[in-house]
Amino acid sequence: MKMNKYILALFGLLMVTLSSCEKPFDQLEIDSNKPVHVPASLVFQGVAYNMFNDNGRPFSAEMRWNQFYCSNYNYYANNEYTFGQMPNQFTTLKNVVKMEEEAKRAGLADVNGYAALGKFFRAYFYDQMSKRVGDLPLTEALKGIEGVSPKYDSQKTIYIQILKWLDDANTDLTSLIAKGETVSGDIYYNGDLKKWQKAVNAYRLRVLITLSKKDTDAELGVKAKFAEMISNPTKYPMMTSMADNLEFKWNNFNKYPSNPDNFGFDATRQNMAAAYVNLLSGLKDPRVMVTCEPAGFELKSGKLPSDYSAFLGASSAEDLADMSDKAGINNGAGFAPGKYSFQNRNRYYKNYTAENTFIVGYPELCFNMAEGIARGWATGSAEDWYKKGIQASQAFYGVKDGVNTMTYSRTGSMAAADQVNYTIDFSFADYYAQAGVKYDASKAIQQIVSQKYLAFFMNSGMEAYFNWRRTGFPKFDVGVGNGNSNRIAVRWIYPTTERTTNATNYKAAIQSQFNGSDDINDPIWLNKF
């Protein structure tokens, strides 16, 4: 009897095993230990972090390409413009789609916070990719297995869609704010859709300025869209202060890239670049004393740390071996080594948080307003917005009227006894009265974009470079240190996967844009008149 029970048990187990083997493959491949669905708020966090993390962190290669700082140690990095593949954001865009799907699965209405911000994210990531390479798959993209070989859309089509996404996001956010709705999982604004709406509109202004060379194109309607936005603040709420910034806040876990842990590794291998330092010192701008240190060689020669001419950057075009020699020259006891300024040790290596990093900031908004008005796209005072942008940026660095206390490392160490304080007197009225600063309509674009460049320091990804590429301001250094046959590259190449998985459409896009060559020196439609 007992034996019969064992036989029946084994037979039952066999039947269960056989029945499980009869399951379709798509069910068998499911890992029951991994979730199939997650809350939209969790997907949102990943997308939001990628928006900051994938497009140029402080003291990264992107910031060298912005000519904010230089690497003087070839073993780890150089200053060459040998652009490779564009950052492929389509994986993140798939997560945007998933975030929207999960919000709907949870029972939210068609117009909800995640869907509205999804439109902003689509605009953001497409903008970041397209201005690096040109045409991209759009209308047939992000359809999963139903569209594994999507055709490419023209860059013009992409920017028409980007502007529409941003406008639609603004409209949706208006209705959601009126209902008092919010979102969870927000690492930037803690779910405040009013602030998100301001960021969306600030970004739309950025895109319109990005299209400045296409401002006569009727389909894009750049001038009309810009005028509508700044003349109707009720429909298009704008940032009004630094408190509205879309920015990443560092902490002891997400550490600012320059911090006490890596002081010994890169503090002397990263000197500041001439395009940034020399522009500031030439304008007698105290921001140079906040972000940089006086060059040890200049102090040894008798200059004071409060002397603007004691701050000197290296040309990003300089031969790297020469830069290395000059950056490491021994200036003797009591002086930091080198002929160049380095990043301010007290600001960037004292703790793990340093400064917030803007994704979209109020100073940029001010300069974009100024530039659009200066170009004649709308009525208003370009000079007022220009001044607001400068003052907002200087305030971010703690520069104020009156006495300002600055700190630098006397010998280049982080020892407390080595930190030296000095003071400077600053008057914004006197600063602004300088010929190189005071608004001049005849050179307004140069002034506005150059001051925007200074406000972009170590933030907003590669917007400083993109503005230089668009306008030629400020002057970037060109020469042997750039690599690429002494040239600054003007685009990235497409991801290698496009050549293997979407070859036909990739080749067609390369042929139509660049006569068949995927080359970093061929200008894209965006930057052609």
Side-chain angles (χ1 to χ4, degrees), residues 183-358:
V183 291
S184 300
D186 183 3
I187 64 175
Y188 296 117
Y189 291 133
N190 195 31
D192 188 341
L193 295 184
K194 290 181 180 179
K195 289 194 172 184
W196 271 110
Q197 186 176 31
K198 292 179 180 181
V200 167
N201 291 327
Y203 199 84
R204 192 165 187 253
L205 282 184
R206 176 193 287 183
V207 172
L208 290 170
I209 292 295
T210 295
L211 292 164
S212 65
K213 289 188 175 180
K214 307 297 180 183
D215 66 354
T216 59
D217 188 298
E219 287 184 272
L220 288 167
V222 171
K223 296 178 184 179
K225 288 181 173 66
F226 182 90
E228 181 189 13
M229 289 190 74
I230 70 170
S231 65
N232 193 347
T234 301
K235 182 178 179 180
Y236 297 102
M238 295 290 178
M239 294 177 172
T240 57
S241 72
M242 301 291 272
D244 292 328
N245 287 347
L246 178 58
E247 61 188 18
F248 185 84
K249 297 178 176 64
W250 303 89
N251 56 43
N252 286 2
F253 301 98
N254 289 304
K255 302 173 183 178
Y256 193 85
S258 292
N259 63 67
D261 292 348
N262 57 34
F263 176 80
F265 181 79
D266 59 23
T268 59
R269 296 170 183 166
Q270 300 175 346
N271 52 260
M272 305 305 289
Y276 174 73
V277 177
N278 297 359
L279 178 58
L280 281 171
S281 59
L283 296 175
K284 294 180 171 55
D285 193 314
R287 284 176 287 183
V288 74
M289 298 176 177
V290 178
T291 60
C292 309
E293 296 198 336
F297 185 85
E298 299 298 322
L299 297 182
K300 184 181 179 181
S301 72
K303 292 180 181 178
L304 297 174
S306 56
D307 189 334
Y308 286 102
S309 65
F311 293 80
L312 188 66
S315 168
S316 298
E318 184 175 20
D319 179 82
L320 198 143
D322 291 342
M323 186 189 298
S324 182
D325 288 342
K326 293 175 185 176
I329 189 172
N330 187 342
N331 291 315
F335 299 98
K339 289 191 173 184
Y340 300 126
S341 293
F342 288 81
Q343 56 186 290
N344 191 288
R345 271 84 163 177
N346 186 64
R347 184 174 184 85
Y348 295 110
Y349 288 106
K350 188 176 183 178
N351 56 45
Y352 294 106
T353 57
E355 61 197 37
N356 297 340
T357 299
F358 307 161

Side-chain angles (χ1 to χ4, degrees), residues 116 119 161 163-173 204:
K119 293 172 182 175
Q161 180 61 64
L163 289 170
K164 185 178 187 306
W165 274 325
L166 292 170
D167 201 29
D168 289 348
N170 174 67
T171 300
D172 291 350
L173 287 168
R204 192 165 187 253

Side-chain angles (χ1 to χ4, degrees), residues 286-513:
R287 284 176 287 183
V288 74
M289 298 176 177
V290 178
T291 60
C292 309
E293 296 198 336
F297 185 85
E298 299 298 322
L299 297 182
K300 184 181 179 181
S301 72
K303 292 180 181 178
L304 297 174
S306 56
D307 189 334
Y308 286 102
S309 65
F311 293 80
L312 188 66
S315 168
S316 298
E318 184 175 20
D319 179 82
L320 198 143
D322 291 342
M323 186 189 298
S324 182
D325 288 342
K326 293 175 185 176
I329 189 172
N330 187 342
N331 291 315
F335 299 98
K339 289 191 173 184
Y340 300 126
S341 293
F342 288 81
Q343 56 186 290
N344 191 288
R345 271 84 163 177
N346 186 64
R347 184 174 184 85
Y348 295 110
Y349 288 106
K350 188 176 183 178
N351 56 45
Y352 294 106
T353 57
E355 61 197 37
N356 297 340
T357 299
F358 307 161
I359 300 170
V360 185
Y362 175 68
E364 180 195 356
L365 168 76
C366 294
F367 292 123
N368 286 341
M369 293 283 243
E371 184 176 343
I373 295 170
R375 290 184 180 277
W377 295 354
T379 58
S381 174
E383 182 176 11
D384 285 351
W385 283 108
Y386 169 69
K387 287 176 69 174
K388 286 179 182 179
I390 297 172
Q391 290 173 311
S393 178
Q394 289 181 338
F396 173 74
Y397 290 107
V399 175
K400 63 183 187 300
D401 273 11
V403 177
N404 291 259
T405 300
M406 306 296 182
T407 304
Y408 78 102
S409 174
R410 187 170 58 91
T411 65
S413 80
M414 274 306 297
D418 213 23
Q419 307 306 302
V420 179
N421 291 336
Y422 63 98
T423 61
I424 61 156
D425 290 323
F426 177 73
S427 162
F428 182 79
D430 292 343
Y431 170 81
Y432 189 74
Q434 298 178 96
V437 179
K438 186 173 177 56
Y439 184 82
D440 181 345
S442 68
K443 54 181 181 180
I445 303 304
Q446 177 181 351
Q447 289 180 312
I448 293 167
V449 177
S450 294
Q451 284 286 350
K452 190 189 332 184
Y453 171 81
L454 297 175
F456 273 143
F457 181 69
M458 294 300 158
N459 69 67
S460 302
M462 286 197 68
E463 284 308 302
Y465 163 85
F466 292 132
N467 276 262
W468 167 84
R469 187 181 65 177
R470 178 175 62 88
T471 67
F473 302 124
K475 179 181 177 295
F476 274 17
D477 291 314
V478 180
V480 64
N482 301 146
N484 189 34
S485 299
N486 299 0
R487 293 174 292 180
I488 296 178
V490 294
R491 65 177 293 270
W492 283 247
I493 61 174
Y494 285 98
T496 306
T497 52
E498 283 298 283
R499 306 175 197 182
T500 56
T501 62
N502 195 14
T504 299
N505 291 313
Y506 161 76
K507 290 177 181 177
I510 292 299
Q511 184 62 40
S512 66
Q513 294 176 94

